[in-house]
Amino acid sequence: MVSFFVCLVLLIVGYFTYGKVVDNTFGPDDRETPAVRINDGVDYVVLPQWKLFLIQLLNIAGLGPIFGAMQGALWGPVVFLWITFGTIFAGGVHDYFSGMMSEREDGASVAEITGDYLGNTMKNIMRVFSVVLLIMVGTVFAVGPAGLIVTLFKNAGVGGVFATTLFWLIIILIYYFIATFISIDAVIGKIYPLFGVCLLVMAVGVAFGVVTNPNYVIPEIWDHLYNMHPSGTPIWSFMFITVACGAISGFHSTQSPLMARCMKSEKQGHFVFYGAMVCEGVIALIWAAAGCSIYEVTGGLNTGLADILADGQSAAIYDVCVKTMGGAGVVLAMLGVIACPITSGDTAFRSARLTLADWLKIDQNSWSNRLKLCIPVLGVGAILGIGNALGAIDYTVIWRYFSWTNQTLAMIVLWAASMYLFRNKKNYWITAVPATFMTAVSITYFCMAPECLGAFGIGAAVAYPAGIIVAILFLGLFLRATRKPAPAANK
């Protein structure tokens, strides 16, 4: 288990070292924050730092670092490397700058921020891109928990309407509508920190169960430095797309502005944004280790894990909880796994409302104005979610498109952060390097994935060079821009 513990230590050390480098590069100061200056009692509300951290963790976590890490474990312990170094050098950087840039822009949504630094064309693209992504995320985080609840009831021998996905999906969507509409401190600020604690306790319980059980041995990276995926799916770039939350996720940049509107001081950014991302990386590492160690390996391939995942992600998570914590711990674990995606789902729809409000310049102090945006946003989510529950829409297809759009959004935000640093005459390489890497990841996947250009038979021979060429092209365009005099910084 040396690999696992080394990666765990690296994540913690990374927060105190590289995370501080990122914080110092941005340069937080004592200026008045939007939460203090605007404070409208709806979206701009001052919250204590510990609540900011736990709410941010819940907003960005959801099912991502659990489902994604379990799927990533199919490739073997090599996924530990992506979770660890992705979190420190890409995910934490992405989350920090998306949050702090929003804070400097009065809590603006990610679309408005990227437009300020990448131009109006990109602003309009990002407006559409982020709203579509947020609705897909909200849908995924409604369907997933509904399936988990059904699994619990069926395992308890309960049938009827309580054992149907459609019933629980409708209940969750009704809650989403209420949470999207009301003030952020009415529900989110009060009960979400408790669910954040559940998420952390659950992760600790799984880790303890794996480490203390002699039947479970976490494999070492150096002994399994090859592709263990039973289907032979390439590591590059499928693993980097599959494991998004827990390494780097563009969805986080849509959530960070929520907390940017609630910070009392800029100096809270390191703990709230970078810290929450590192915590999510730890959670992902634990679940990836569980996936690598609990299930049977046949011929050097993770066949056992593939079999349990074939029964559905909900069934796989339930199985891990039972195997690591037994009956006593599974209640708390399943509560965390159900509550966390629900809390990410409602904030996804809330972010979609705020993105549209920024786009259409609709003030959100009025309940009628909020209602005008809540109804269409939740309406589309309901169509997608209920369509899946009735078998008309494939949930896995929605998830695959979410995966690619998610990482592409992360790439764009990192390029915007690079332009921000350039304009402010600061070290832009801390964002430009991960931006270049994520460009290669996104383009390669787009060329190879069956739901994208891979449907036309494009393989690695074309996709790999294309990813590298486009990444170099983007970096070249950025460096060319840095040779010109930097325009005045916005903030």
Side-chain angles (χ1 to χ4, degrees):
M1 303 185 185
V2 175
S3 301
F4 170 75
F5 285 109
V6 167
C7 289
L8 184 62
V9 170
L10 285 174
L11 282 169
I12 296 171
V13 171
Y15 166 76
F16 290 103
T17 56
Y18 196 73
K20 203 60 185 175
V21 170
V22 172
D23 192 42
N24 291 336
T25 300
F26 179 84
D29 54 36
D30 294 321
R31 72 183 67 192
E32 197 173 43
T33 63
V36 176
R37 185 172 63 258
I38 299 174
N39 204 318
D40 62 0
V42 179
D43 297 309
Y44 293 86
V45 179
V46 175
L47 295 175
Q49 180 171 279
W50 66 273
K51 282 191 176 182
L52 291 171
F53 171 82
L54 289 172
I55 295 171
Q56 174 72 2
L57 176 61
L58 272 178
N59 289 352
I60 67 176
L63 295 176
I66 299 173
F67 278 5
M70 287 281 284
Q71 292 282 354
L74 288 169
W75 282 279
V78 68
V79 73
F80 297 171
L81 297 175
W82 170 229
I83 291 172
T84 303
F85 295 108
T87 295
I88 296 171
F89 297 108
V93 176
H94 167 275
D95 287 16
Y96 179 88
F97 276 98
S98 62
M100 296 304 290
M101 288 165 61
S102 174
E103 193 277 335
R104 288 280 173 94
E105 296 288 337
D106 288 340
S109 61
V110 64
E112 308 306 309
I113 297 170
T114 53
D116 287 344
Y117 297 100
L118 300 179
N120 286 328
T121 300
M122 182 57 71
K123 178 184 290 188
N124 290 324
I125 292 173
M126 285 292 291
R127 282 167 170 170
V128 176
F129 200 80
S130 56
V131 170
V132 170
L133 173 67
L134 286 165
I135 292 176
M136 284 197 294
V137 169
T139 302
V140 167
F141 286 166
V143 174
L148 287 167
I149 294 172
V150 169
T151 299
L152 281 177
F153 274 98
K154 287 183 176 179
N155 288 340
V158 177
V161 68
F162 292 105
T164 62
T165 302
L166 181 60
F167 172 78
W168 289 108
L169 181 61
I170 292 173
I171 296 297
I172 291 170
L173 287 171
I174 292 173
Y175 164 73
Y176 280 180
F177 183 87
I178 296 171
T180 302
F181 179 79
I182 62 178
S183 168
I184 194 167
D185 62 341
V187 175
I188 294 175
K190 288 183 170 60
I191 66 173
Y192 281 25
L194 298 177
F195 290 135
V197 173
C198 288
L199 178 64
L200 295 174
V201 172
M202 175 186 64
V204 171
V206 171
F208 184 80
V210 170
V211 172
T212 58
N213 192 324
N215 296 319
Y216 304 145
V217 179
I218 302 174
E220 304 294 1
I221 296 172
W222 44 83
D223 294 329
H224 300 80
L225 201 58
Y226 60 89
N227 188 352
M228 298 180 67
H229 201 295
S231 301
T233 305
I235 293 176
W236 180 266
S237 62
F238 286 81
M239 186 185 75
F240 298 87
I241 292 289
T242 301
V243 186
C245 296
I248 178 173
S249 169
F251 169 66
H252 297 183
S253 66
T254 68
Q255 300 301 290
S256 294
L258 295 179
M259 293 301 97
R261 300 180 185 213
C262 299
M263 292 168 52
K264 185 177 181 180
S265 169
E266 282 193 349
K267 295 178 182 178
Q268 296 173 327
H270 176 226
F271 180 66
V272 173
F273 298 123
Y274 198 96
M277 182 61 230
V278 168
C279 192
E280 187 186 59
V282 171
I283 293 170
L285 184 66
I286 289 170
W287 280 92
C292 287
S293 60
I294 293 176
Y295 299 101
E296 180 182 2
V297 176
T298 305
L301 302 177
N302 283 319
T303 53
L305 178 58
D307 290 340
I308 190 65
L309 286 171
D311 294 332
Q313 293 173 321
S314 302
I317 292 175
Y318 184 86
D319 190 61
V320 169
C321 292
V322 171
K323 283 182 166 62
T324 56
M325 290 181 283
V330 76
V331 175
L332 175 62
M334 294 307 292
L335 173 64
V337 175
I338 291 169
C340 293
I342 289 177
T343 57
S344 289
D346 65 21
T347 52
F349 283 117
R350 188 182 190 91
S351 295
R353 169 175 70 81
L354 294 174
T355 300
L356 288 171
D358 288 348
W359 182 0
L360 303 175
K361 306 293 188 246
I362 299 177
D363 184 79
Q364 294 297 282
N365 288 342
S366 165
W367 68 266
S368 59
N369 283 345
R370 296 201 298 276
L371 202 60
K372 291 176 184 176
L373 298 180
C374 285
I375 290 174
V377 165
L378 269 297
V380 174
I383 291 172
L384 293 174
I386 294 174
N388 171 260
L390 297 176
I393 300 175
D394 187 356
Y395 167 82
T396 58
V397 171
I398 297 175
W399 181 262
R400 288 202 302 269
Y401 278 110
F402 157 69
S403 298
W404 176 73
T405 54
N406 184 49
Q407 298 301 64
T408 302
L409 176 58
M411 171 198 79
I412 295 171
V413 171
L414 285 169
W415 283 122
S418 300
M419 286 304 300
Y420 167 85
L421 291 172
F422 164 64
R423 290 188 184 183
N424 287 274
K425 298 179 175 60
K426 296 180 178 180
N427 176 22
Y428 50 73
W429 286 108
I430 62 172
T431 53
V433 170
T436 303
F437 180 83
M438 292 309 299
T439 301
V441 167
S442 182
I443 297 301
T444 303
Y445 183 85
F446 184 76
C447 291
M448 293 182 66
E451 68 271 19
C452 300
L453 297 184
F456 300 100
I458 296 178
V462 174
Y464 286 6
I468 295 172
I469 291 170
V470 173
I472 293 174
L473 175 64
F474 275 37
L475 178 61
L477 291 173
F478 171 73
L479 292 177
R480 181 182 177 187
T482 63
R483 295 192 183 98
K484 301 175 183 178
N490 288 17
K491 294 286 182 181

